[in-house]
Amino acid sequence: MNVGASRESDEIIAMIMKLTEMPEVISFAGGLPDGELFPIEEMKKVTKEVLESDGRNALQYSTTQGIRELREVIAEQIMKEAGVDTTADNLVITCGSQQALEFSGRLFLDEGDVVICESPSYLGAITAFQPYGPKFVEVKMDEHGMDMVDLEEKLRNNPNTKFIYTVPDFQNPTGITLIVERRKRMVELAEKYDVMILEDNPYGNLLFEGERLPAIKSFDKNERVIYHGTFSKIFCPGLRIGWVCAAEEIVNKYLLIKQSVDLQTNTMAQKETALYMNMYDIKDNVNKIKEVYKRRRDLMVKTLKEELPESCSYTNPAGGLFIWVTLPEELDASKVLEKAMEYRVGFVPGIAFYPNGGHRNNFRLNFSSMKDELIVEGVKRLGQVLRSF
Amino acid sequence: MNVGASRESDEIIAMIMKLTEMPEVISFAGGLPDGELFPIEEMKKVTKEVLESDGRNALQYSTTQGIRELREVIAEQIMKEAGVDTTADNLVITCGSQQALEFSGRLFLDEGDVVICESPSYLGAITAFQPYGPKFVEVKMDEHGMDMVDLEEKLRNNPNTKFIYTVPDFQNPTGITLIVERRKRMVELAEKYDVMILEDNPYGNLLFEGERLPAIKSFDKNERVIYHGTFSKIFCPGLRIGWVCAAEEIVNKYLLIKQSVDLQTNTMAQKETALYMNMYDIKDNVNKIKEVYKRRRDLMVKTLKEELPESCSYTNPAGGLFIWVTLPEELDASKVLEKAMEYRVGFVPGIAFYPNGGHRNNFRLNFSSMKDELIVEGVKRLGQVLRSF
């Protein structure tokens, strides 16, 4: 099987790896949650309790689908908050949402099938689908998310589309959120053109202002939508707990895959996550995270406004971890990155997020993992770099 | 992509699932370690220490290859004991050895490629390779493992063989161990016919008597052998920690796969395992396990001798978890299982372990997870069942 298709983004990733090893660099290239916000004291209590009350089961093999108590709290708390009425039987626990993406690629895609996605789209999803050899068809976005007219045209012109892949809330990389009317419309179009929707929603809970929009899956009447969730941005990414929510018939197909590729997800991590959700209110943790990230977004947007040349624009996301910067057409973000490295500041050039390449004048900034003063200093350096072009 | 190829073994698995749900059944069908032997008190100390000293990193994303301290203790302790001189750079941490098998299938196999394996072979490996569409070519075994004359014939007749898959120590399902001369010969043949060897070694440390044989990889001069290891049988399977040991060039290919399919293995579980290995001597834990499993093997072999009709034979493994029973040619183990279920006793019919089917007169018994008195009672029931045929 084809592994690690060579793309220009591989070079960029290499450049970014180099960046992380350079001293005194301020890197906005990552996508890490801030580790200082992890609930370590709570985790100490939780792990002690799990080992004391249920150690033998916590350290033993467990079911492929994931332990029931975890699936129950996900259904009752997280999915409900996303507006999705579901049950533990509709969930499979995965090793993070990256594994959910890989499973979806494996389940639906064969050489030459079409994946329709936002332009730009999430790099990890592109990487997960690519080994199965699909053609990516990108749909235009505006500030309200995927353009539904363009989506319908792409669906009409690509009869072997298997699914629409979308990150509707505070998308990675743009920070853009898909508005409600378009969520409904997307489900209608999926029905009309007989395709599935993969709704990838790692950031939905990290809403800084306004009201949370119901998940696309909440409008799903005929089991067209497969929802991918994760605890990585609202709890602890190192535990690698994600999930798929879908019709039972589809869940059974994911189980066959899970069984053959790694049997099951870490039992202990599942028990810890379930007990944490039952012992504490995860909303308290989410609120703590949101407060810090909101402050950092505000600071980054304010500093971008002050420091970037007027010819540049940027998104102001209502949540999540990322801001998307657009440069004047003639500028190449990869060239800008080379210069930026001299100034000891980094970001991810936008081209990495376009499965078919092109679009050289964008880059992604992360604001979740950086101290306030470094955000200011880093954006100032960026301004200097850009003014030098 | 093809998922969950329908095989007769699927029906058998369904039958065994049914078995596990029946009350008062004595099931030798599983392959679980005995949870009563898990080092729970030590794990309490280890998790507390990890969270206190390094909580932020333990709960955060970490590298795709696996944390260095874990790779170091595996190289220095486990691989060294297997006779393999290697380094942390030659290791990738996986979610159990099932994931290592899946990665190997993904990396080496395309539709129609040949996998050469023991006859019978490990069910989990067959399941992991099958989605990539290989042809399985089975090699005869005797009490000393794979027959090298038959292996060479199969290599000669199958020029598109990608690798030889083998479980050399206390094989699952037969309990048979490959003798040293054949290990050396297998490496020579791999050289001669330009194929790789996948050495899958989950049980090597669980040696009840005699001297541990050096791993096949210890005879590997030209990086032909890829070793798959796991903590599941010597520590805690619920943590899902396995690894691949190979040349750095090959390790890099596994990393590309790991990156795209699930980014990394649970950081916390890696830190816990590494710290456990540094705080305690894992050999003490292994010795505790071996003492119990050896007693159970002795008891099972003794009771088989007393209770089974003379027309049946069985292996007497020098380690591991399994005994393999051979019935008279005319008996079908699946039919025997139907009857056995009435007697409330279970096992896995051997046909599940033959990738090309056939061979209906064998079954596998597990002795690791069953209390002594139940081993005696279960084997007595088996004797009754078999005498009824």
Side-chain angles (χ1 to χ4, degrees):
Chain A
M1 181 170 186
N2 184 21
V3 296
S6 131
R7 301 171 61 224
E8 189 171 13
S9 64
D10 289 345
E11 279 169 49
I12 291 170
I13 290 168
M15 202 142 86
I16 289 162
M17 292 305 292
K18 198 174 150 196
L19 193 80
T20 58
E21 286 162 11
M22 285 164 66
E24 288 164 36
V25 82
I26 298 175
S27 174
F28 300 120
L32 296 192
D34 187 339
E36 292 200 18
L37 299 169
F38 293 154
I40 294 178
E41 290 308 313
E42 291 87 340
M43 274 296 287
K44 276 193 214 166
K45 291 191 185 112
V46 162
T47 49
K48 183 160 179 273
E49 176 61 23
V50 165
L51 286 169
E52 262 167 21
S53 67
D54 199 19
R56 238 177 258 167
N57 289 321
L59 300 173
Q60 184 61 285
Y61 286 110
S62 57
T63 61
T64 298
Q65 187 160 8
I67 62 170
R68 178 159 284 271
E69 59 257 46
L70 177 59
R71 288 183 285 120
E72 277 169 359
V73 293
I74 293 172
E76 285 157 19
Q77 296 186 39
I78 316 244
M79 294 308 298
K80 198 168 179 183
E81 213 194 315
V84 180
D85 185 20
T86 190
T87 74
D89 295 329
N90 295 96
L91 296 168
V92 190
I93 304 300
T94 57
C95 294
S97 63
Q98 185 68 25
Q99 187 176 56
L101 292 169
E102 139 68 12
F103 286 3
S104 297
R106 182 184 277 247
L107 181 55
F108 290 105
L109 300 177
D110 287 303
E111 193 78 31
D113 285 340
V114 168
V115 170
I116 291 187
C117 63
E118 285 130 359
S119 180
S121 184
Y122 171 52
L123 177 56
I126 300 170
T127 312
F129 302 150
Q130 226 155 23
Y132 301 102
K135 182 181 156 201
F136 291 90
V137 172
E138 301 172 42
V139 175
K140 280 191 297 199
M141 293 178 88
D142 60 24
E143 71 272 29
H144 301 306
M146 221 186 243
D147 180 313
M148 290 297 121
V149 176
D150 194 35
L151 173 60
E152 179 155 22
E153 193 183 315
K154 301 288 160 67
L155 282 166
R156 198 186 305 116
N157 294 337
N158 292 283
N160 56 340
T161 299
K162 288 300 168 68
F163 57 76
I164 303 164
Y165 169 75
T166 179
V167 182
D169 291 19
F170 329 124
Q171 194 226 22
N172 182 353
T174 63
I176 290 173
T177 296
L178 188 70
I179 56 174
V180 172
E181 304 81 73
R182 294 195 190 176
R183 294 177 189 227
K184 293 178 188 166
R185 180 67 181 148
M186 190 184 281
V187 174
E188 286 168 14
L189 290 173
E191 291 282 353
K192 182 172 172 187
Y193 292 93
D194 191 21
V195 302
M196 302 296 289
I197 296 173
L198 289 200
E199 177 175 26
D200 185 12
N201 205 325
Y203 315 113
N205 298 78
L206 299 179
L207 171 76
F208 306 150
E209 55 235 343
E211 216 171 301
R212 173 138 187 213
L213 300 187
I216 300 172
K217 184 147 183 70
S218 73
F219 303 110
D220 181 26
K221 297 284 171 272
N222 297 303
E223 309 286 15
R224 292 253 163 220
V225 184
I226 300 174
Y227 184 102
H228 293 27
T230 175
F231 281 99
S232 292
K233 304 304 184 289
I234 56 173
F235 186 48
C236 306
L239 296 184
R240 314 303 302 122
I241 304 286
W243 66 91
V244 169
C245 176
E248 272 190 65
E249 185 188 299
I250 298 174
V251 158
N252 288 337
K253 292 182 184 169
Y254 281 90
L255 289 183
L256 282 177
I257 296 176
K258 181 80 180 160
Q259 174 74 29
S260 77
V261 309
D262 68 359
L263 303 182
Q264 59 154 113
T265 298
N266 183 312
T267 317
M268 181 85 187
Q270 292 186 67
K271 295 252 179 201
E272 286 165 348
T273 307
L275 186 61
Y276 174 86
M277 297 277 287
N278 283 320
M279 273 175 72
Y280 302 95
D281 188 345
I282 196 170
K283 283 186 192 159
D284 293 341
N285 194 52
V286 171
N287 286 336
K288 199 174 64 172
I289 297 170
K290 290 200 306 193
E291 191 189 320
V292 174
Y293 290 5
K294 178 182 189 307
R295 193 184 69 226
R296 289 181 181 161
R297 180 214 50 186
D298 289 344
L299 192 60
M300 186 173 267
V301 167
K302 176 172 171 283
T303 319
L304 284 167
K305 192 171 179 188
E306 291 163 1
E307 301 292 336
L308 251 55
E310 289 225 336
S311 55
C312 303
S313 63
Y314 43 86
T315 56
N316 187 351
L321 280 67
F322 302 107
I323 287 175
W324 183 247
V325 178
T326 302
L327 307 172
E329 280 278 349
E330 67 276 13
L331 278 192
D332 180 336
S334 303
K335 294 265 186 304
V336 175
L337 179 58
E338 275 173 36
K339 186 91 176 178
M341 285 166 78
E342 292 171 24
Y343 284 73
R344 295 286 187 270
V345 62
F347 51 77
V348 186
I351 194 166
F353 304 98
Y354 293 96
N356 303 306
H359 307 273
R360 312 200 61 95
N361 64 322
N362 304 280
F363 59 83
R364 189 192 75 176
L365 297 175
N366 166 262
F367 56 80
S368 62
S369 59
M370 192 72 69
K371 298 251 172 288
D372 297 8
E373 57 276 21
L374 292 177
I375 290 179
V376 174
E377 173 60 24
V379 174
K380 279 187 181 168
R381 291 184 194 175
L382 266 182
Q384 291 176 313
V385 172
L386 285 167
R387 280 192 303 274
S388 79
F389 275 90
Chain B
M1 181 169 184
N2 184 23
V3 296
S6 130
R7 299 171 63 223
E8 188 171 15
S9 63
D10 289 344
E11 280 167 50
I12 291 170
I13 289 167
M15 201 142 88
I16 289 162
M17 292 305 290
K18 198 174 149 197
L19 193 80
T20 59
E21 287 162 10
M22 285 164 67
E24 288 165 35
V25 82
I26 299 175
S27 174
F28 300 121
L32 296 191
D34 188 338
E36 293 199 18
L37 300 169
F38 294 153
I40 295 178
E41 289 308 313
E42 291 86 341
M43 274 297 287
K44 276 194 214 166
K45 291 191 185 113
V46 161
T47 50
K48 183 161 179 273
E49 176 62 21
V50 165
L51 286 169
E52 262 167 21
S53 66
D54 199 19
R56 239 178 256 165
N57 289 322
L59 300 173
Q60 184 60 285
Y61 287 109
S62 57
T63 61
T64 298
Q65 188 161 7
I67 63 169
R68 178 161 284 274
E69 58 257 46
L70 177 59
R71 287 183 286 121
E72 277 170 357
V73 291
I74 292 172
E76 286 158 18
Q77 296 186 38
I78 316 244
M79 293 309 297
K80 197 167 178 184
E81 213 193 315
V84 179
D85 186 20
T86 190
T87 74
D89 295 329
N90 294 95
L91 296 169
V92 190
I93 304 300
T94 57
C95 294
S97 63
Q98 185 68 26
Q99 186 176 57
L101 292 170
E102 140 67 13
F103 286 3
S104 297
R106 181 184 276 246
L107 181 55
F108 290 105
L109 301 177
D110 287 302
E111 193 78 31
D113 285 342
V114 168
V115 171
I116 291 187
C117 63
E118 285 130 358
S119 181
S121 183
Y122 171 51
L123 176 56
I126 301 170
T127 312
F129 302 151
Q130 226 155 25
Y132 300 101
K135 182 180 156 202
F136 290 90
V137 172
E138 301 172 42
V139 175
K140 279 190 297 200
M141 292 177 89
D142 59 25
E143 72 272 28
H144 302 306
M146 224 186 242
D147 180 315
M148 290 298 121
V149 176
D150 194 35
L151 173 60
E152 178 154 21
E153 193 182 315
K154 300 288 159 67
L155 283 166
R156 198 185 307 117
N157 295 336
N158 292 282
N160 58 339
T161 298
K162 288 301 168 66
F163 57 76
I164 303 163
Y165 170 74
T166 178
V167 182
D169 291 19
F170 329 124
Q171 193 225 22
N172 181 353
T174 63
I176 289 172
T177 296
L178 188 70
I179 55 174
V180 172
E181 304 80 73
R182 295 195 188 176
R183 293 178 189 227
K184 294 179 186 164
R185 180 66 180 151
M186 190 185 281
V187 174
E188 286 169 11
L189 290 174
E191 292 281 352
K192 182 171 173 187
Y193 291 93
D194 191 19
V195 300
M196 302 296 289
I197 296 172
L198 289 201
E199 176 176 26
D200 185 11
N201 205 325
Y203 315 112
N205 298 78
L206 299 180
L207 170 77
F208 305 150
E209 55 235 342
E211 217 171 304
R212 174 140 186 212
L213 301 187
I216 300 170
K217 183 147 183 71
S218 73
F219 304 109
D220 181 25
K221 298 284 170 273
N222 296 303
E223 309 286 12
R224 291 251 162 222
V225 184
I226 301 175
Y227 184 101
H228 293 26
T230 176
F231 281 99
S232 292
K233 305 303 184 289
I234 56 174
F235 186 48
C236 306
L239 296 183
R240 313 304 301 125
I241 304 286
W243 66 89
V244 169
C245 175
E248 273 189 66
E249 185 189 299
I250 298 174
V251 159
N252 288 336
K253 293 182 183 169
Y254 281 90
L255 290 182
L256 283 176
I257 296 176
K258 181 81 180 159
Q259 174 75 28
S260 77
V261 308
D262 68 358
L263 303 181
Q264 58 153 113
T265 299
N266 183 313
T267 318
M268 181 84 187
Q270 292 186 65
K271 294 251 181 202
E272 285 165 349
T273 306
L275 186 60
Y276 174 86
M277 298 277 287
N278 282 320
M279 273 176 72
Y280 302 95
D281 188 345
I282 196 170
K283 283 186 190 158
D284 294 340
N285 194 53
V286 171
N287 286 336
K288 197 174 66 173
I289 296 170
K290 290 200 306 193
E291 191 190 320
V292 174
Y293 290 6
K294 177 182 191 303
R295 193 185 68 228
R296 290 181 180 161
R297 180 213 51 186
D298 289 343
L299 193 58
M300 187 175 266
V301 167
K302 176 172 170 283
T303 319
L304 284 167
K305 191 171 179 189
E306 290 163 1
E307 301 292 335
L308 251 56
E310 290 227 334
S311 54
C312 302
S313 62
Y314 43 87
T315 56
N316 187 351
L321 281 68
F322 303 107
I323 286 175
W324 183 247
V325 178
T326 302
L327 306 173
E329 280 278 349
E330 67 277 12
L331 279 192
D332 180 337
S334 302
K335 295 265 187 303
V336 175
L337 179 57
E338 276 173 36
K339 186 89 177 180
M341 285 166 79
E342 292 171 23
Y343 284 73
R344 296 284 188 271
V345 61
F347 52 75
V348 185
I351 194 167
F353 304 99
Y354 293 97
N356 304 306
H359 307 274
R360 311 198 64 93
N361 63 323
N362 303 281
F363 59 84
R364 189 192 74 176
L365 297 175
N366 166 262
F367 56 80
S368 62
S369 58
M370 192 70 71
K371 298 252 173 285
D372 297 7
E373 57 276 21
L374 291 177
I375 289 179
V376 174
E377 174 59 25
V379 174
K380 279 187 179 167
R381 291 184 195 175
L382 266 182
Q384 289 177 315
V385 172
L386 285 167
R387 280 191 304 271
S388 79
F389 276 87

